[in-house]
Amino acid sequence: MRIHIIGTGLLGASLGLALSAQKYQVSLEDTSPTAQQLAADLGAGTIFADGGNDCNGGSGSEGGNGGDPQIVVIATPPDVAAQTIATALETYPDATVTDVASVKTSLLESVRELVGRSELDRYIGCHPMAGREKSGAIAARSDLFTARPWVICSDENTPHNRLGEVVTMAEATGASVIHLDPRIHDAAVAKVSHVPQVVASLVASQLRHAPLEEVALAGQGLRDVTRIAASDPRLWTQILAGNSEEVRSVLLDLRTELDEVITALEMGPGATGALAKAIALGNEGYDRIPGKHGQAPTKYAVVTILIPDTPGTLATLFKDIGDLNINVEDFRMDHAPDQKLGIVDVSVVPATQQELETGLLSKGWQIPESAIEKEGIA
């Protein structure tokens, strides 16, 4: 299958890397010659050339497309995606055109205004739920989409052969395909992606003028909440504007609950019930987040191990856990302030917690406040 990717940023270049690894014929196009060349040099595909007529009004300089593409993927910034889709539909009258934009309803409406019904039948909106805080082809990874949801928006009028092509392409990246109505998609990503970005950015912004001695107290909790605050402001401005109605609705609900917390804090000790309710409702929502491989949420036991910050120590720890024949369900690591120590939290099935702690203690690992010690077993 011949795939033509227009836009060689993080998603476009990552898609090219993933498909090229599966022996697809991938051609690349970007308004920036430097970005285009970088993606090609990284192995994402060959620079597009079609005799001097490309989708952006320029001309390719090397390579060749080996025939017209079967699928054209638009991976441009959201604010130019609709026009680029319309141009691609006109330029490639036999190709299926898709995109990777994170907002679907407003984009579909804009494309509908630019093209006719017959052209619109060749457009299938997509959104791979994958990304990084870093941007550009230099941050691209061939495994970016592996085991990630890939949303495809189609309806009963979508030609089955074209839908099948897009599904095949998405699955070739290792993604898991999900079919959603555009409006349902936009409501969903507002809750699970767009509002979390806003909240992370707002929390991180409170650190701008904080004294360094206060910021030095930051632990894993702050890092977890603010990790995505390092995202690209230009890109996210376009994403939030494109899904403004859904994002605003969630933020209004969030503001209502935040106001309740603020009111409770103003009332002092007599309003602890409202504070407890806010935390409890958060527990309830957290428990609905899918577990591994999209399965039902699972409660894991967490074993904390202190490890010296020296080369090879983490590898030794995981080898020892493997020797105990215990599966690590999740893992995270923090660093002790002013000490060369790592604080490792290993999540395991509760039934194996005591076995893991006993085994690691016997191998000389330091486990503070282990369940074994609390029960007086050790």
Side-chain angles (χ1 to χ4, degrees):
M1 191 183 295
R2 295 181 300 279
I3 311 291
H4 181 49
I5 300 173
I6 303 177
T8 56
L10 171 64
L11 292 183
S14 294
L15 179 59
L17 289 171
L19 295 176
S20 294
Q22 296 298 317
K23 308 305 180 184
Y24 279 65
Q25 297 180 42
V26 180
S27 56
L28 306 170
E29 180 181 344
D30 198 292
T31 54
S32 167
T34 302
Q36 180 178 261
Q37 186 65 58
L38 175 59
D41 289 345
L42 292 171
T46 60
I47 294 179
F48 180 69
D50 68 346
N53 180 22
D54 64 27
C55 279
N56 290 325
S59 61
S61 60
E62 57 184 89
N65 58 335
D68 286 342
Q70 292 163 272
I71 298 179
V72 178
V73 182
I74 308 304
T76 60
D79 61 345
V80 296
Q83 183 58 62
T84 309
I85 290 168
T87 303
L89 288 167
E90 179 183 356
T91 305
Y92 304 101
D94 296 323
T96 300
V97 177
T98 185
D99 70 284
V100 295
S102 62
V103 178
K104 303 276 49 113
T105 304
S106 59
L107 180 58
L108 176 60
E109 291 172 351
S110 296
V111 173
R112 185 178 284 123
E113 293 176 357
L114 295 170
V115 303
R117 177 70 251 184
S118 60
E119 287 87 359
L120 193 63
D121 285 343
R122 294 188 289 111
Y123 167 62
I124 300 176
C126 286
H127 178 207
M129 299 289 292
R132 301 183 68 187
E133 303 85 64
K134 302 176 182 179
S135 60
I138 194 64
R141 290 173 18 185
S142 62
D143 63 349
L144 186 69
F145 309 104
T146 301
R148 303 297 302 165
W150 185 299
V151 178
I152 297 179
C153 297
S154 59
D155 56 32
E156 64 277 3
N157 296 319
T158 304
H160 292 296
N161 62 321
R162 297 191 182 280
L163 179 59
E165 289 178 344
V166 175
V167 169
T168 298
M169 180 192 71
E171 291 179 341
T173 70
S176 299
V177 170
I178 297 174
H179 297 271
L180 288 179
D181 176 87
R183 292 192 178 278
I184 293 176
H185 164 274
D186 289 354
V189 295
K191 297 180 182 70
V192 305
S193 176
H194 300 170
V195 167
Q197 174 65 57
V198 173
V199 172
S201 296
L202 293 177
V203 171
S205 75
Q206 300 304 304
L207 305 174
R208 289 174 298 155
H209 306 300
L212 290 179
E213 58 267 26
E214 294 181 7
V215 181
L217 298 177
Q220 193 61 42
L222 180 67
R223 292 184 175 90
D224 287 346
V225 171
T226 61
R227 178 181 62 82
I228 57 176
S231 299
D232 184 349
R234 293 171 299 176
L235 174 62
W236 273 98
T237 297
Q238 296 176 34
I239 292 173
L240 295 172
N243 201 24
S244 58
E245 181 180 341
E246 296 292 349
V247 172
R248 179 177 179 276
S249 176
V250 179
L251 286 175
L252 286 173
D253 290 341
L254 182 62
R255 184 171 70 181
T256 298
E257 296 189 11
L258 185 59
D259 285 341
E260 291 175 357
V261 170
I262 293 172
T263 299
L265 293 172
E266 290 172 345
M267 295 175 63
T272 55
L275 300 178
K277 176 185 175 183
I279 302 300
L281 291 177
N283 292 166
E284 185 178 329
Y286 177 82
D287 287 343
R288 299 194 66 197
I289 299 174
K292 288 176 61 177
H293 314 305
Q295 298 173 353
T298 303
K299 294 285 188 180
Y300 296 120
V302 177
V303 176
T304 300
I305 307 108
L306 300 182
I307 68 171
D309 189 4
T310 54
T313 304
L314 194 57
T316 302
L317 172 63
F318 276 99
K319 181 182 182 302
D320 287 346
I321 295 174
D323 290 344
L324 295 170
N325 200 31
I326 295 175
N327 189 51
V328 175
E329 306 293 338
D330 202 356
F331 158 84
R332 78 175 189 177
M333 182 174 179
D334 198 3
H335 299 278
D338 300 324
Q339 297 184 55
K340 287 188 174 290
L341 280 177
I343 304 169
V344 176
D345 288 334
V346 175
S347 298
V348 295
V349 174
T352 65
Q353 179 182 6
Q354 183 174 313
E355 180 184 355
L356 176 60
E357 291 185 346
T358 301
L360 291 180
L361 286 170
S362 70
K363 293 176 180 291
W365 293 100
Q366 185 179 356
I367 302 178
E369 301 244 347
S370 72
I372 295 174
E373 292 170 336
K374 289 177 183 177
E375 296 172 10
I377 299 173

